[in-house]
Each structure stands twice: as structure tokens, then as C-alpha cells.
Amino acid sequence: MKTIFLDLVCSVNSRSVFIFLLTSVCLSACSLWQGDSGVGSGKTGKSKKIAQVGASILYADDLQGVIHPGMLAKDSARLVRDYIDAWVKREVVLEEARNQKKIDKDEVKQKVKKFKDNLLRYVLEERHVNNNLDTLVKDSEVKTHYEANKGNFVLKQHIIKGILIKIPLASTGRDSSASLKVGKLLMSTNANRKKTLRDFCVKSAEFYHIEDSTWVGVDDLINNTPFNGVNDKAALLKQSKFQYSRKQDKKYVYYLKVRDFKLVNQETPYEFAKPHIVELILQKRKVELIQKMEEDILKKAQKSKKIKIY
């Protein structure tokens, strides 16, 4: 662990003394976080100093939570070193900023106050919304919104209802008829087709998506497959609707079968738009809740005569 810290660069008067102290403290901290009582336990006041930049000091106690019991010594040392490096870099920059005469300190204070005020307001709004938001959105409300705003629901990506199966070539090597089985199942209209296909995938597939009654984005589904390299995705989808498509790389064979598809700029199907509409409705409710809260607070302040305008 000592050798890991030899390349640590910090602004200290004596680099060798600092490295010795740092190594000692880190070893003590490792022991402490595994249950020993000692430096950093809080029983003897401030723990050992680890680094210092100007008036800012990093203590061993400040490193609690950086590493956890059971971690390898080299991993613990790396995390501690990275934390110290980041702390030193941050504090050096802050020290430089504090000493810059061109920086308007009053402007900084005003920005800090504004940030604090905005944060307080955000916490109040968030708590009010969490306590009062009705998260139940009825299907009838979603459908009404969809019908009234159909023109706004235009696809920005191709979507499909379809099947994608990824099978290791090793599996097909062991079963010479595997490709034929998959092809027949993909083209079958038998009522038990999905169950049989699922049983096959559980046994042989590395990955599979066979819920062909659900709309999904094409790019999300075929990402990291050879199908993603096809330039004309629309042609691929049209072809795969009438006959499954098959591609392979060095390790896997991939099957794509499309039941239905919609292309970019076409109207978004209700089922695909529904989650987005629910979010829109909930967001509208949040805004209305916050506005109502503000109005109630204002009325309360007016009633108690807290407001004075000169």
C-alpha cells in the first residue's frame, strides 16, 4: 500500500514526510473501517491530517465511506488516492479563486444566496408534490388527451412489434437442426407457437425478445446486432414482416421477425404514446399543485398582514 502513494502530488512543505503520514493514516483508516476503534473514531477529537491546502485540511475521518470492509488492499488504496487527488485539486483551485482580487466576492455571495433560496423553494415544492400528487391516471383521461393531440404524436424513430433471438453459434453447432426449428417457429401461426419458442429460447438463446404484441423502438431492440448495420431499416422491416431475417457474426446467429411496424414521421400508436402521455398528465398536475400552493401561501401571508409594500 505504501508504494501506491509514492506518485501522489500535493502542495506540502515536506513531500517525504507527507507520504509517510499519508501511508500511515490510510493503513489506520483501513483498520478503522473494518471495525477497530482508533483514529477517526470521534472519541479523541479530530483525526489525523491527511492533506492540507492553505487553511483547508483533509482529515482521516473525511475518508469514511470511501472504502468498505472486504475490499482488496490495492483497490482501497486506489480509491483513497483518487479521493485525495480530487480533494487537493479542488481545494487548490478554490484557494486560487479566494485569492483572486478580480473576483467580485459580493457577486459570489449574491449567487450563493440565490442558489440557497432556489434550493429551499425546490425542497418545499418537492415535499408538497410528494405528499399531494394524485398519481392515478385513468385510461379514459389518457385516451382523451391522445385523441385531442394526435397531430403532436409523430414518431421520431421506427418502432415494431416483433421478435429478436440471439443464439450462440456453439449451440447451433451442437444441434444441426436448430436453425430450421427457429425458422419454422417464427413463421408458424400455431396457437402454441409462443410457448414452444419460449421453451427453445430459454434452453438455447443468449438473448431473446418474443413479446411481439408490444411496440418497441427498433434501434433499442437491434442495438449491438448485425441488423444495426443495415442502412435501409425500413426495407429490413418490410422484408422481416413477410419472411424472418437472419444474420450472424463470429459468435452468434440472430433472427428478426416483424409482426407489425411503424416508420419515422408516421402517427404514434396509442400503446406506444401512452407512457409519455401519462408523464405529461402528471407533470401538468405537478405544475397545478405548485401554483395552488403558491396562491395559498400568498393568501395566508396577506391575511396575517406579513406583506408590507412601501
Short mmCIF file of all heavy atoms in Angstrom, two decimals, residues 243-297:
data_model
loop_
_atom_site.label_atom_id
_atom_site.label_comp_id
_atom_site.label_asym_id
_atom_site.label_seq_id
_atom_site.Cartn_x
_atom_site.Cartn_y
_atom_site.Cartn_z
N GLN A 243 -41.01 -12.45 -44.18
CA GLN A 243 -40.09 -13.56 -44.01
C GLN A 243 -39.03 -13.15 -42.99
O GLN A 243 -38.49 -12.06 -43.09
CB GLN A 243 -39.41 -13.91 -45.34
CG GLN A 243 -38.34 -14.97 -45.26
CD GLN A 243 -38.88 -16.34 -44.90
OE1 GLN A 243 -39.92 -16.75 -45.38
NE2 GLN A 243 -38.18 -17.05 -44.02
N TYR A 244 -38.76 -14.00 -42.02
CA TYR A 244 -37.79 -13.63 -40.99
C TYR A 244 -36.43 -13.35 -41.62
O TYR A 244 -36.08 -13.88 -42.68
CB TYR A 244 -37.68 -14.71 -39.92
CG TYR A 244 -37.03 -16.00 -40.37
CD1 TYR A 244 -35.65 -16.15 -40.33
CD2 TYR A 244 -37.80 -17.08 -40.82
CE1 TYR A 244 -35.04 -17.34 -40.73
CE2 TYR A 244 -37.20 -18.26 -41.22
CZ TYR A 244 -35.83 -18.39 -41.18
OH TYR A 244 -35.23 -19.54 -41.58
N SER A 245 -35.64 -12.48 -40.97
CA SER A 245 -34.29 -12.16 -41.42
C SER A 245 -33.28 -12.83 -40.50
O SER A 245 -33.51 -12.95 -39.29
CB SER A 245 -34.07 -10.65 -41.41
OG SER A 245 -34.95 -10.01 -42.32
N ARG A 246 -32.17 -13.23 -41.08
CA ARG A 246 -31.15 -13.95 -40.33
C ARG A 246 -29.78 -13.36 -40.63
O ARG A 246 -29.43 -13.11 -41.79
CB ARG A 246 -31.16 -15.43 -40.70
CG ARG A 246 -30.13 -16.29 -39.97
CD ARG A 246 -30.19 -17.73 -40.50
NE ARG A 246 -29.33 -18.62 -39.77
CZ ARG A 246 -28.02 -18.77 -39.99
NH1 ARG A 246 -27.42 -18.05 -40.93
NH2 ARG A 246 -27.31 -19.62 -39.28
N LYS A 247 -29.01 -13.07 -39.59
CA LYS A 247 -27.63 -12.61 -39.74
C LYS A 247 -26.77 -13.26 -38.66
O LYS A 247 -27.30 -13.71 -37.64
CB LYS A 247 -27.55 -11.08 -39.64
CG LYS A 247 -28.06 -10.34 -40.86
CD LYS A 247 -27.82 -8.85 -40.74
CE LYS A 247 -28.27 -8.13 -42.00
NZ LYS A 247 -27.42 -8.46 -43.17
N GLN A 248 -25.47 -13.26 -38.90
CA GLN A 248 -24.58 -13.81 -37.88
C GLN A 248 -23.25 -13.07 -37.88
O GLN A 248 -22.88 -12.40 -38.84
CB GLN A 248 -24.35 -15.31 -38.10
CG GLN A 248 -23.44 -15.66 -39.25
CD GLN A 248 -23.21 -17.16 -39.34
OE1 GLN A 248 -24.16 -17.95 -39.47
NE2 GLN A 248 -21.95 -17.57 -39.26
N ASP A 249 -22.58 -13.15 -36.72
CA ASP A 249 -21.22 -12.64 -36.59
C ASP A 249 -20.33 -13.80 -36.18
O ASP A 249 -20.70 -14.96 -36.38
CB ASP A 249 -21.16 -11.46 -35.62
CG ASP A 249 -21.77 -11.78 -34.26
OD1 ASP A 249 -21.79 -12.98 -33.89
OD2 ASP A 249 -22.21 -10.86 -33.55
N LYS A 250 -19.20 -13.52 -35.58
CA LYS A 250 -18.26 -14.58 -35.25
C LYS A 250 -18.75 -15.52 -34.15
O LYS A 250 -18.32 -16.68 -34.07
CB LYS A 250 -16.92 -13.97 -34.84
CG LYS A 250 -16.20 -13.24 -35.96
CD LYS A 250 -14.86 -12.69 -35.48
CE LYS A 250 -14.14 -11.98 -36.62
NZ LYS A 250 -12.83 -11.42 -36.17
N LYS A 251 -19.66 -15.01 -33.30
CA LYS A 251 -20.06 -15.82 -32.14
C LYS A 251 -21.54 -16.18 -32.11
O LYS A 251 -21.93 -17.15 -31.46
CB LYS A 251 -19.71 -15.07 -30.85
CG LYS A 251 -18.22 -14.92 -30.60
CD LYS A 251 -17.97 -14.27 -29.25
CE LYS A 251 -16.48 -14.16 -28.94
NZ LYS A 251 -16.23 -13.54 -27.61
N TYR A 252 -22.38 -15.39 -32.79
CA TYR A 252 -23.82 -15.57 -32.65
C TYR A 252 -24.53 -15.55 -33.99
O TYR A 252 -24.04 -14.99 -34.97
CB TYR A 252 -24.41 -14.48 -31.76
CG TYR A 252 -23.82 -14.40 -30.38
CD1 TYR A 252 -22.79 -13.51 -30.08
CD2 TYR A 252 -24.26 -15.24 -29.35
CE1 TYR A 252 -22.23 -13.45 -28.82
CE2 TYR A 252 -23.71 -15.19 -28.08
CZ TYR A 252 -22.69 -14.29 -27.83
OH TYR A 252 -22.14 -14.23 -26.58
N VAL A 253 -25.73 -16.13 -33.99
CA VAL A 253 -26.64 -16.00 -35.11
C VAL A 253 -27.89 -15.29 -34.60
O VAL A 253 -28.35 -15.54 -33.47
CB VAL A 253 -27.00 -17.39 -35.72
CG1 VAL A 253 -27.60 -18.30 -34.67
CG2 VAL A 253 -27.94 -17.22 -36.90
N TYR A 254 -28.42 -14.37 -35.40
CA TYR A 254 -29.52 -13.51 -34.97
C TYR A 254 -30.72 -13.70 -35.90
O TYR A 254 -30.57 -13.77 -37.13
CB TYR A 254 -29.11 -12.04 -35.01
CG TYR A 254 -27.86 -11.72 -34.21
CD1 TYR A 254 -26.59 -11.97 -34.75
CD2 TYR A 254 -27.93 -11.18 -32.94
CE1 TYR A 254 -25.44 -11.68 -34.04
CE2 TYR A 254 -26.78 -10.88 -32.22
CZ TYR A 254 -25.54 -11.14 -32.78
OH TYR A 254 -24.40 -10.85 -32.07
N TYR A 255 -31.92 -13.73 -35.30
CA TYR A 255 -33.15 -13.86 -36.07
C TYR A 255 -34.07 -12.69 -35.74
O TYR A 255 -34.27 -12.35 -34.57
CB TYR A 255 -33.86 -15.17 -35.73
CG TYR A 255 -33.08 -16.41 -36.09
CD1 TYR A 255 -32.16 -16.96 -35.19
CD2 TYR A 255 -33.26 -17.05 -37.32
CE1 TYR A 255 -31.44 -18.09 -35.52
CE2 TYR A 255 -32.54 -18.18 -37.64
CZ TYR A 255 -31.64 -18.70 -36.74
OH TYR A 255 -30.93 -19.83 -37.06
N LEU A 256 -34.63 -12.10 -36.78
CA LEU A 256 -35.56 -10.99 -36.61
C LEU A 256 -36.84 -11.30 -37.38
O LEU A 256 -36.80 -11.57 -38.58
CB LEU A 256 -34.95 -9.68 -37.14
CG LEU A 256 -35.86 -8.44 -37.09
CD1 LEU A 256 -36.15 -8.05 -35.65
CD2 LEU A 256 -35.22 -7.27 -37.85
N LYS A 257 -37.97 -11.25 -36.68
CA LYS A 257 -39.28 -11.45 -37.33
C LYS A 257 -40.20 -10.33 -36.87
O LYS A 257 -40.41 -10.12 -35.68
CB LYS A 257 -39.88 -12.81 -36.94
CG LYS A 257 -41.25 -13.07 -37.59
CD LYS A 257 -41.10 -13.21 -39.10
CE LYS A 257 -42.44 -13.53 -39.76
NZ LYS A 257 -43.35 -12.39 -39.80
N VAL A 258 -40.75 -9.60 -37.83
CA VAL A 258 -41.61 -8.45 -37.55
C VAL A 258 -43.06 -8.81 -37.74
O VAL A 258 -43.44 -9.37 -38.78
CB VAL A 258 -41.24 -7.26 -38.47
CG1 VAL A 258 -42.19 -6.09 -38.25
CG2 VAL A 258 -39.79 -6.83 -38.22
N ARG A 259 -43.86 -8.51 -36.74
CA ARG A 259 -45.30 -8.72 -36.85
C ARG A 259 -45.97 -7.47 -37.41
O ARG A 259 -46.87 -7.54 -38.23
CB ARG A 259 -45.88 -9.06 -35.47
CG ARG A 259 -47.40 -9.15 -35.45
CD ARG A 259 -47.90 -9.38 -34.04
NE ARG A 259 -49.33 -9.10 -33.93
CZ ARG A 259 -49.97 -8.98 -32.79
NH1 ARG A 259 -49.32 -9.11 -31.65
NH2 ARG A 259 -51.25 -8.72 -32.77
N ASP A 260 -45.53 -6.30 -36.95
CA ASP A 260 -46.05 -5.03 -37.44
C ASP A 260 -44.99 -3.97 -37.22
O ASP A 260 -44.11 -4.13 -36.36
CB ASP A 260 -47.34 -4.66 -36.70
CG ASP A 260 -48.14 -3.57 -37.42
OD1 ASP A 260 -47.72 -3.17 -38.53
OD2 ASP A 260 -49.15 -3.10 -36.86
N PHE A 261 -45.07 -2.88 -37.97
CA PHE A 261 -44.09 -1.81 -37.79
C PHE A 261 -44.68 -0.46 -38.20
O PHE A 261 -45.63 -0.38 -38.96
CB PHE A 261 -42.82 -2.09 -38.60
CG PHE A 261 -43.02 -2.08 -40.10
CD1 PHE A 261 -42.88 -0.90 -40.83
CD2 PHE A 261 -43.33 -3.25 -40.78
CE1 PHE A 261 -43.05 -0.88 -42.20
CE2 PHE A 261 -43.50 -3.24 -42.15
CZ PHE A 261 -43.36 -2.06 -42.86
N LYS A 262 -44.09 0.58 -37.65
CA LYS A 262 -44.42 1.97 -37.99
C LYS A 262 -43.10 2.69 -38.24
O LYS A 262 -42.12 2.46 -37.53
CB LYS A 262 -45.17 2.66 -36.86
CG LYS A 262 -46.53 2.04 -36.54
CD LYS A 262 -47.57 2.41 -37.57
CE LYS A 262 -48.94 1.87 -37.16
NZ LYS A 262 -49.96 2.20 -38.19
N LEU A 263 -43.11 3.58 -39.22
CA LEU A 263 -41.88 4.27 -39.59
C LEU A 263 -41.85 5.70 -39.07
O LEU A 263 -42.88 6.25 -38.65
CB LEU A 263 -41.73 4.28 -41.12
CG LEU A 263 -41.72 2.90 -41.79
CD1 LEU A 263 -41.60 3.06 -43.29
CD2 LEU A 263 -40.59 2.03 -41.25
N VAL A 264 -40.67 6.28 -39.10
CA VAL A 264 -40.48 7.67 -38.68
C VAL A 264 -41.46 8.59 -39.42
O VAL A 264 -41.73 8.40 -40.61
CB VAL A 264 -39.03 8.12 -38.98
CG1 VAL A 264 -38.88 9.61 -38.79
CG2 VAL A 264 -38.05 7.37 -38.09
N ASN A 265 -42.01 9.54 -38.65
CA ASN A 265 -42.96 10.55 -39.15
C ASN A 265 -44.38 10.02 -39.31
O ASN A 265 -45.27 10.80 -39.68
CB ASN A 265 -42.49 11.17 -40.47
CG ASN A 265 -41.22 11.99 -40.29
OD1 ASN A 265 -41.01 12.60 -39.24
ND2 ASN A 265 -40.36 11.99 -41.29
N GLN A 266 -44.60 8.73 -39.05
CA GLN A 266 -45.97 8.23 -39.04
C GLN A 266 -46.60 8.52 -37.67
O GLN A 266 -45.92 8.86 -36.70
CB GLN A 266 -46.01 6.73 -39.32
CG GLN A 266 -45.66 6.38 -40.76
CD GLN A 266 -45.83 4.90 -41.05
OE1 GLN A 266 -45.74 4.04 -40.16
NE2 GLN A 266 -46.04 4.57 -42.32
N GLU A 267 -47.91 8.38 -37.61
CA GLU A 267 -48.62 8.64 -36.35
C GLU A 267 -48.23 7.61 -35.29
O GLU A 267 -48.16 6.41 -35.56
CB GLU A 267 -50.14 8.57 -36.60
CG GLU A 267 -50.98 8.91 -35.39
CD GLU A 267 -52.46 8.83 -35.71
OE1 GLU A 267 -52.96 9.74 -36.40
OE2 GLU A 267 -53.12 7.85 -35.29
N THR A 268 -47.96 8.08 -34.10
CA THR A 268 -47.57 7.19 -33.00
C THR A 268 -48.76 6.38 -32.51
O THR A 268 -49.81 6.95 -32.18
CB THR A 268 -47.01 8.00 -31.81
OG1 THR A 268 -45.95 8.82 -32.26
CG2 THR A 268 -46.52 7.07 -30.70
N PRO A 269 -48.67 5.06 -32.46
CA PRO A 269 -49.76 4.25 -31.94
C PRO A 269 -50.07 4.60 -30.48
O PRO A 269 -49.16 4.98 -29.73
CB PRO A 269 -49.23 2.82 -32.05
CG PRO A 269 -48.14 2.88 -33.05
CD PRO A 269 -47.53 4.24 -32.91
N TYR A 270 -51.31 4.45 -30.11
CA TYR A 270 -51.74 4.82 -28.75
C TYR A 270 -50.91 4.09 -27.70
O TYR A 270 -50.46 4.70 -26.72
CB TYR A 270 -53.22 4.50 -28.57
CG TYR A 270 -53.68 4.61 -27.13
CD1 TYR A 270 -53.87 5.86 -26.55
CD2 TYR A 270 -53.91 3.48 -26.36
CE1 TYR A 270 -54.27 5.98 -25.23
CE2 TYR A 270 -54.32 3.58 -25.04
CZ TYR A 270 -54.50 4.83 -24.48
OH TYR A 270 -54.90 4.94 -23.17
N GLU A 271 -50.70 2.78 -27.89
CA GLU A 271 -49.99 1.99 -26.88
C GLU A 271 -48.57 2.51 -26.66
O GLU A 271 -48.06 2.49 -25.54
CB GLU A 271 -49.93 0.52 -27.29
CG GLU A 271 -51.28 -0.17 -27.38
CD GLU A 271 -51.87 -0.05 -28.79
OE1 GLU A 271 -51.41 0.84 -29.56
OE2 GLU A 271 -52.77 -0.84 -29.12
N PHE A 272 -47.91 2.96 -27.74
CA PHE A 272 -46.55 3.45 -27.63
C PHE A 272 -46.51 4.85 -27.02
O PHE A 272 -45.57 5.21 -26.32
CB PHE A 272 -45.89 3.47 -29.01
CG PHE A 272 -44.40 3.64 -28.98
CD1 PHE A 272 -43.58 2.60 -28.61
CD2 PHE A 272 -43.81 4.86 -29.32
CE1 PHE A 272 -42.19 2.75 -28.58
CE2 PHE A 272 -42.43 5.03 -29.28
CZ PHE A 272 -41.62 3.96 -28.91
N ALA A 273 -47.56 5.64 -27.30
CA ALA A 273 -47.61 7.01 -26.79
C ALA A 273 -48.09 7.08 -25.34
O ALA A 273 -47.82 8.07 -24.65
CB ALA A 273 -48.55 7.85 -27.66
N LYS A 274 -48.77 6.05 -24.87
CA LYS A 274 -49.41 6.08 -23.56
C LYS A 274 -48.46 6.45 -22.41
O LYS A 274 -48.79 7.35 -21.62
CB LYS A 274 -50.09 4.74 -23.26
CG LYS A 274 -50.84 4.73 -21.94
CD LYS A 274 -51.56 3.40 -21.72
CE LYS A 274 -52.28 3.39 -20.37
NZ LYS A 274 -52.99 2.10 -20.14
N PRO A 275 -47.29 5.81 -22.26
CA PRO A 275 -46.41 6.19 -21.13
C PRO A 275 -46.01 7.67 -21.17
O PRO A 275 -45.94 8.31 -20.12
CB PRO A 275 -45.19 5.28 -21.34
CG PRO A 275 -45.69 4.13 -22.13
CD PRO A 275 -46.73 4.71 -23.04
N HIS A 276 -45.78 8.20 -22.37
CA HIS A 276 -45.41 9.60 -22.50
C HIS A 276 -46.57 10.51 -22.09
O HIS A 276 -46.38 11.53 -21.43
CB HIS A 276 -44.99 9.90 -23.94
CG HIS A 276 -44.64 11.33 -24.19
ND1 HIS A 276 -43.62 11.98 -23.52
CD2 HIS A 276 -45.19 12.25 -25.03
CE1 HIS A 276 -43.55 13.23 -23.94
NE2 HIS A 276 -44.50 13.43 -24.85
N ILE A 277 -47.78 10.12 -22.48
CA ILE A 277 -48.97 10.92 -22.14
C ILE A 277 -49.19 10.93 -20.64
O ILE A 277 -49.53 11.96 -20.05
CB ILE A 277 -50.22 10.38 -22.87
CG1 ILE A 277 -50.05 10.54 -24.38
CG2 ILE A 277 -51.47 11.10 -22.40
CD1 ILE A 277 -51.15 9.89 -25.20
N VAL A 278 -49.00 9.78 -20.00
CA VAL A 278 -49.14 9.69 -18.54
C VAL A 278 -48.18 10.66 -17.87
O VAL A 278 -48.54 11.38 -16.93
CB VAL A 278 -48.89 8.25 -18.04
CG1 VAL A 278 -48.78 8.21 -16.52
CG2 VAL A 278 -50.00 7.32 -18.51
N GLU A 279 -46.93 10.72 -18.37
CA GLU A 279 -45.94 11.65 -17.80
C GLU A 279 -46.37 13.09 -18.01
O GLU A 279 -46.19 13.93 -17.12
CB GLU A 279 -44.58 11.41 -18.45
CG GLU A 279 -43.87 10.15 -17.98
CD GLU A 279 -43.62 10.15 -16.48
OE1 GLU A 279 -43.18 11.20 -15.95
OE2 GLU A 279 -43.88 9.12 -15.82
N LEU A 280 -46.94 13.40 -19.16
CA LEU A 280 -47.40 14.76 -19.44
C LEU A 280 -48.52 15.16 -18.49
O LEU A 280 -48.55 16.28 -17.96
CB LEU A 280 -47.90 14.86 -20.89
CG LEU A 280 -46.85 14.82 -21.99
CD1 LEU A 280 -47.52 14.82 -23.36
CD2 LEU A 280 -45.91 16.02 -21.88
N ILE A 281 -49.43 14.23 -18.25
CA ILE A 281 -50.56 14.50 -17.36
C ILE A 281 -50.07 14.72 -15.93
O ILE A 281 -50.51 15.64 -15.23
CB ILE A 281 -51.59 13.34 -17.41
CG1 ILE A 281 -52.27 13.32 -18.79
CG2 ILE A 281 -52.63 13.48 -16.31
CD1 ILE A 281 -53.16 12.12 -19.02
N LEU A 282 -49.14 13.87 -15.49
CA LEU A 282 -48.60 14.01 -14.14
C LEU A 282 -47.82 15.31 -13.99
O LEU A 282 -47.89 15.97 -12.95
CB LEU A 282 -47.70 12.81 -13.80
CG LEU A 282 -48.42 11.47 -13.61
CD1 LEU A 282 -47.40 10.35 -13.38
CD2 LEU A 282 -49.40 11.53 -12.45
N GLN A 283 -47.08 15.67 -15.03
CA GLN A 283 -46.33 16.93 -14.98
C GLN A 283 -47.28 18.12 -14.89
O GLN A 283 -47.02 19.08 -14.15
CB GLN A 283 -45.44 17.05 -16.22
CG GLN A 283 -44.53 18.27 -16.22
CD GLN A 283 -43.59 18.31 -15.04
OE1 GLN A 283 -43.09 17.28 -14.58
NE2 GLN A 283 -43.33 19.51 -14.52
N LYS A 284 -48.37 18.07 -15.61
CA LYS A 284 -49.37 19.15 -15.55
C LYS A 284 -49.97 19.24 -14.15
O LYS A 284 -50.17 20.34 -13.61
CB LYS A 284 -50.47 18.88 -16.57
CG LYS A 284 -51.54 19.98 -16.62
CD LYS A 284 -52.62 19.64 -17.63
CE LYS A 284 -53.71 20.72 -17.62
NZ LYS A 284 -54.81 20.39 -18.56
N ARG A 285 -50.23 18.08 -13.55
CA ARG A 285 -50.76 18.07 -12.18
C ARG A 285 -49.76 18.67 -11.20
O ARG A 285 -50.14 19.39 -10.26
CB ARG A 285 -51.11 16.64 -11.76
CG ARG A 285 -52.31 16.05 -12.49
CD ARG A 285 -52.58 14.64 -11.99
NE ARG A 285 -53.66 14.01 -12.73
CZ ARG A 285 -54.07 12.75 -12.53
NH1 ARG A 285 -53.45 12.00 -11.60
NH2 ARG A 285 -55.05 12.25 -13.23
N LYS A 286 -48.47 18.37 -11.40
CA LYS A 286 -47.44 18.92 -10.51
C LYS A 286 -47.41 20.44 -10.59
O LYS A 286 -47.34 21.12 -9.57
CB LYS A 286 -46.07 18.36 -10.90
CG LYS A 286 -45.87 16.89 -10.59
CD LYS A 286 -44.50 16.41 -11.05
CE LYS A 286 -44.31 14.93 -10.80
NZ LYS A 286 -42.98 14.45 -11.26
N VAL A 287 -47.46 20.96 -11.81
CA VAL A 287 -47.45 22.41 -12.01
C VAL A 287 -48.65 23.05 -11.34
O VAL A 287 -48.54 24.08 -10.65
CB VAL A 287 -47.42 22.75 -13.51
CG1 VAL A 287 -47.61 24.25 -13.72
CG2 VAL A 287 -46.11 22.29 -14.14
N GLU A 288 -49.81 22.44 -11.50
CA GLU A 288 -51.03 22.98 -10.90
C GLU A 288 -50.97 22.93 -9.38
O GLU A 288 -51.44 23.86 -8.70
CB GLU A 288 -52.25 22.20 -11.41
CG GLU A 288 -52.54 22.45 -12.90
CD GLU A 288 -53.62 21.53 -13.45
OE1 GLU A 288 -53.97 20.54 -12.73
OE2 GLU A 288 -54.11 21.78 -14.56
N LEU A 289 -50.40 21.86 -8.84
CA LEU A 289 -50.24 21.75 -7.39
C LEU A 289 -49.35 22.86 -6.84
O LEU A 289 -49.66 23.48 -5.81
CB LEU A 289 -49.64 20.39 -7.03
CG LEU A 289 -50.58 19.24 -6.69
CD1 LEU A 289 -49.79 17.97 -6.46
CD2 LEU A 289 -51.43 19.55 -5.47
N ILE A 290 -48.24 23.09 -7.52
CA ILE A 290 -47.30 24.12 -7.07
C ILE A 290 -47.93 25.51 -7.17
O ILE A 290 -47.78 26.35 -6.26
CB ILE A 290 -46.00 24.05 -7.89
CG1 ILE A 290 -45.25 22.75 -7.55
CG2 ILE A 290 -45.10 25.26 -7.59
CD1 ILE A 290 -44.07 22.48 -8.45
N GLN A 291 -48.64 25.76 -8.26
CA GLN A 291 -49.30 27.06 -8.41
C GLN A 291 -50.35 27.28 -7.32
O GLN A 291 -50.45 28.37 -6.76
CB GLN A 291 -49.96 27.14 -9.79
CG GLN A 291 -48.96 27.25 -10.93
CD GLN A 291 -49.61 27.23 -12.29
OE1 GLN A 291 -50.77 26.81 -12.44
NE2 GLN A 291 -48.89 27.68 -13.31
N LYS A 292 -51.10 26.21 -7.01
CA LYS A 292 -52.12 26.31 -5.95
C LYS A 292 -51.48 26.55 -4.59
O LYS A 292 -51.95 27.34 -3.76
CB LYS A 292 -52.94 25.01 -5.91
CG LYS A 292 -54.03 24.95 -4.85
CD LYS A 292 -55.11 25.98 -5.11
CE LYS A 292 -56.35 25.72 -4.27
NZ LYS A 292 -56.10 25.68 -2.83
N MET A 293 -50.34 25.88 -4.34
CA MET A 293 -49.60 26.06 -3.09
C MET A 293 -49.14 27.51 -2.96
O MET A 293 -49.27 28.12 -1.88
CB MET A 293 -48.40 25.12 -3.05
CG MET A 293 -47.55 25.25 -1.78
SD MET A 293 -45.92 24.48 -1.94
CE MET A 293 -45.12 25.68 -3.04
N GLU A 294 -48.60 28.06 -4.04
CA GLU A 294 -48.12 29.45 -4.01
C GLU A 294 -49.27 30.41 -3.72
O GLU A 294 -49.11 31.37 -2.95
CB GLU A 294 -47.46 29.79 -5.35
CG GLU A 294 -46.15 29.07 -5.58
CD GLU A 294 -45.61 29.31 -6.97
OE1 GLU A 294 -46.40 29.78 -7.84
OE2 GLU A 294 -44.42 29.04 -7.21
N GLU A 295 -50.41 30.17 -4.34
CA GLU A 295 -51.58 31.03 -4.11
C GLU A 295 -52.04 30.95 -2.66
O GLU A 295 -52.38 31.98 -2.05
CB GLU A 295 -52.71 30.62 -5.05
CG GLU A 295 -52.43 30.92 -6.52
CD GLU A 295 -53.47 30.31 -7.44
OE1 GLU A 295 -54.45 29.69 -6.91
OE2 GLU A 295 -53.33 30.44 -8.68
N ASP A 296 -52.05 29.75 -2.11
CA ASP A 296 -52.48 29.57 -0.71
C ASP A 296 -51.51 30.26 0.25
O ASP A 296 -51.95 30.89 1.23
CB ASP A 296 -52.58 28.08 -0.37
CG ASP A 296 -53.71 27.38 -1.10
OD1 ASP A 296 -54.62 28.10 -1.58
OD2 ASP A 296 -53.70 26.14 -1.19
N ILE A 297 -50.21 30.15 -0.01
CA ILE A 297 -49.21 30.80 0.84
C ILE A 297 -49.36 32.32 0.77
O ILE A 297 -49.26 33.02 1.78
CB ILE A 297 -47.80 30.36 0.44
CG1 ILE A 297 -47.58 28.88 0.77
CG2 ILE A 297 -46.74 31.21 1.15
CD1 ILE A 297 -46.27 28.32 0.27
#
